[in-house]
């Protein structure tokens, strides 16, 4: 039963009260942090891929993914308002189900946050090189992509992807106040670019492009939803900032649900306009579908702004995902499950500087050497597993600790959480066999680390 030992909520809150992390984030900051994490590769790159499966029904695929995320988001909002402690689902599971399950879900989140930073950095590199080519600048072929990423080309290392992660790591190590200022500015810029696309593109929609609406049936729409799900990743990273939030009971639910609502509206409108301008088959092999739609509409000048918005948008995603990864390992290290170096807080910047550089450099090397396609689905399955577990945890804690103060409550428990679990399983079943095999291998490695290191050093064990 020691594998299912639970960490008491009062102990978690005591740790929070003695935390050296600085509290500078407001509800507005958290909404922008969530938008910063979500709008990036999903809308600027993966919308074209999703269109090949769903056809003109692409907006429906985004709505399905949004519903799955919204169900999980309600559960996140309840937990974050009740236990405003770093660690996200890892922390919530530790309080409800037990240490081993918390470790497994923390290990899954490492997969989500770490690989998301690397995957988005890879997409960022493509747009950045496209921008450089507009000025007649090109990098040596060997430094433009990971090995094997471009068939027929002798690529060795994705230098731009590595360098952007080093810049992000430097910013994060400076402190949360500096990080939020840069993030807020970049998020406002990329939202303005998305709105510009909507305002310009809506006039060039051809109704005939919406027929047939779902050429590959419901299975095609669900496959597109599994891909589109990647576009929503990141809202849960807001909860990683729990110990750096002013009035977390109020502001964390605002940040989680507010950012998800705004992004959903933007995604659905943008995807509807895209497939209305360009016949969906023309998106095959295109890694900048939003720009393509504007070029087909003859609005090349706006396409340039979209490329800039994509670069800025992906930068904020890398920023928030790396931030979430550092705070996750901070929480796991503080519990004794990982080495102490990950929970050391710098006295000057009030951030885990050592952990930031270790994790940022590791993510940068992965981005440099691993192709984007290999990363994306691995991220999805780890996240869906986390979403399913937090939904289960809400039901458990309602039964075991009804006395806890909840500033926000999920309505219709247990029906909504059960629906959330079923929706996550539905999307997981639409992922490839390779993804499942890789997921089980990753979980097995995590169990080896836990039984070889974490279990005996756990603070609860001591």
């Amino acid at each position: 039963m020691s594998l299912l030992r639970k960490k008491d909520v009062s102990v978690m809150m005591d740790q929070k009260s003695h935390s050296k992390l600085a509290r500078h984030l407001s509800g507005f900051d958290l909404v922008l942090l969530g938008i910063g994490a979500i709008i990036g590769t999903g809308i600027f790159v993966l919308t074209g891929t999703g269109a090949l499966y769903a056809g003109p029904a692409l907006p429906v695929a985004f709505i399905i993914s949004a519903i799955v995320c919204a169900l999980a988001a309600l559960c996140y909002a309840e937990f974050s308002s009740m236990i405003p402690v770093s660690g996200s689902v890892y922390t919530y599971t530790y309080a409800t189900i037990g240490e081993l399950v918390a470790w497994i879900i923390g290990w899954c989140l490492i997969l989500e946050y770490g690989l998301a930073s690397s995957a988005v950095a890879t997409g960022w590199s493509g747009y950045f090189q496209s921008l450089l080519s507009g000025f007649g600048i090109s990098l040596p072929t060997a430094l433009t992509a990971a090995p094997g990423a471009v068939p027929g080309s002798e690529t060795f290392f994705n230098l731009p992807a590595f360098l952007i992660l080093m810049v992000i790591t430097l910013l994060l190590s400076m402190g949360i106040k500096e990080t939020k200022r840069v993030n807020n500015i970049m998020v406002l810029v990329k939202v303005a670019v998305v709105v510009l696309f909507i305002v310009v593109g809506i006039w060039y929609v051809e109704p005939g492009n919406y027929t047939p609406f779902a050429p590959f049936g419901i299975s095609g729409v669900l496959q597109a939803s599994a891909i589109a799900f990647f576009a929503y990743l990141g809202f849960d990273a807001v909860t990683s900032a729990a110990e750096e939030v002013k009035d977390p009971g109020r502001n964390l639910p605002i940040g989680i649900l507010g950012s998800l609502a705004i992004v959903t509206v933007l995604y659905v409108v943008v995807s509807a306009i895209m497939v209305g301008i360009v016949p969906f088959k023309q998106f095959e092999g295109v890694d900048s579908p939003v720009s393509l739609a504007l070029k087909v509409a003859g609005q090349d000048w706006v396409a340039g702004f979209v490329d800039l918005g994509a670069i800025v948008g992906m930068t904020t995603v890398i920023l928030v995902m790396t931030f979430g990864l550092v705070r996750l390992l901070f929480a796991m290290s503080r519990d004794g499950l990982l080495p102490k170096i990950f929970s050391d807080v710098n006295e000057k910047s009030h951030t885990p500087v050592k952990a930031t550089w270790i994790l940022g450099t590791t993510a940068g090397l992965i981005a440099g050497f691993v192709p984007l396609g290999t990363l994306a689905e691995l991220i999805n399955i780890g996240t869906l597993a986390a979403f399913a577990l937090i939904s289960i945890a809400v039901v458990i804690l309602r039964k075991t600790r009804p006395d806890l103060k909840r500033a926000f409550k999920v309505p219709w428990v247990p029906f909504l959480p059960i629906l959330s679990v079923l929706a996550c399983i539905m999307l997981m079943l639409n992922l490839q066999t390779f993804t499942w095999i890789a997921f089980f291998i990753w979980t097995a490695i995590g169990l080896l680390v836990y039984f070889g290191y974490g279990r005996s050093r756990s603070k609860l064990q001591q």
Side-chain angles (χ1 to χ4, degrees), residues 19-251:
S19 175
K20 296 179 181 179
L21 299 175
R23 298 178 180 86
H24 289 299
L25 300 175
S26 65
F28 177 73
D29 294 327
L30 289 175
V31 169
L32 293 187
L33 197 70
I35 295 173
I38 303 169
I39 297 182
T41 306
I43 194 168
F44 292 113
V45 178
L46 292 180
T47 40
T49 306
L52 297 175
Y53 291 95
L58 181 62
V60 178
F62 273 102
I63 291 171
I64 292 172
S65 294
I67 291 171
V68 175
C69 289
L71 292 170
L74 290 169
C75 300
Y76 272 99
E78 175 168 325
F79 264 109
S80 63
S81 67
M82 179 173 52
I83 312 174
V85 179
S86 293
S88 190
V89 189
Y90 158 77
T91 298
Y92 309 147
T93 308
Y94 211 161
T96 54
I97 302 175
E99 184 174 280
L100 178 60
V101 180
W103 167 267
I104 292 172
I105 208 60
W107 195 250
C108 290
L109 288 175
I110 291 173
L111 189 70
E112 175 194 347
Y113 294 152
L115 292 189
S117 297
S118 302
V120 178
T122 304
W124 183 95
S125 174
Y127 268 93
F128 181 70
Q129 291 180 59
S130 174
L131 184 65
L132 287 181
S133 66
F135 295 97
I137 302 171
S138 59
L139 298 173
T141 303
L143 300 178
T144 57
V150 183
S153 297
E154 295 183 0
T155 54
F156 173 72
F157 186 72
N158 196 327
L159 182 62
F162 176 78
L163 291 179
I164 186 58
L165 267 160
M166 292 301 94
V167 172
I168 293 297
T169 301
L170 176 62
L171 175 61
L172 288 172
S173 66
M174 293 169 65
I176 188 63
K177 187 180 290 187
E178 292 75 13
T179 299
K180 79 165 186 178
R181 286 172 181 166
V182 174
N183 179 72
N184 289 357
I185 292 169
M186 289 195 293
V187 168
L188 293 174
V189 169
K190 73 175 176 181
V191 169
V193 169
V194 172
V195 172
L196 177 64
F197 169 80
I198 294 171
V199 171
V200 173
I202 195 169
W203 304 103
Y204 297 91
V205 170
E206 295 289 342
N209 288 333
Y210 292 121
T211 306
F213 186 66
F216 307 110
I218 187 64
S219 62
V221 175
L222 290 177
Q223 281 184 293
S225 293
I227 294 170
F229 181 77
F230 180 85
Y232 288 97
L233 298 189
F235 74 84
D236 55 316
V238 171
T239 60
S240 298
E243 291 184 33
E244 292 153 282
V245 178
K246 296 178 285 187
D247 192 7
R250 171 184 178 273
N251 289 328

Side-chain angles (χ1 to χ4, degrees), residues 387-424:
F387 284 6
L389 272 177
I390 193 174
S391 303
I392 294 169
V394 162
V395 178
I396 292 174
L397 207 62
R398 283 284 187 96
K399 294 292 185 182
T400 57
R401 292 298 304 273
D403 56 302
L404 289 174
K405 181 183 178 182
R406 293 164 168 84
F408 178 91
K409 280 190 174 184
V410 179
W412 305 317
V413 172
F415 303 107
L416 276 187
I418 291 173
L419 187 60
S420 175
V421 173
L422 294 175
C424 290

Side-chain angles (χ1 to χ4, degrees), residues 338-357:
L338 288 174
K340 189 177 182 298
I341 191 171
F342 291 108
S343 54
D344 282 344
V345 176
N346 184 275
E347 294 291 340
K348 183 178 179 182
S349 65
H350 299 286
T351 57
V353 173
K354 295 175 185 176
T356 301
W357 280 103

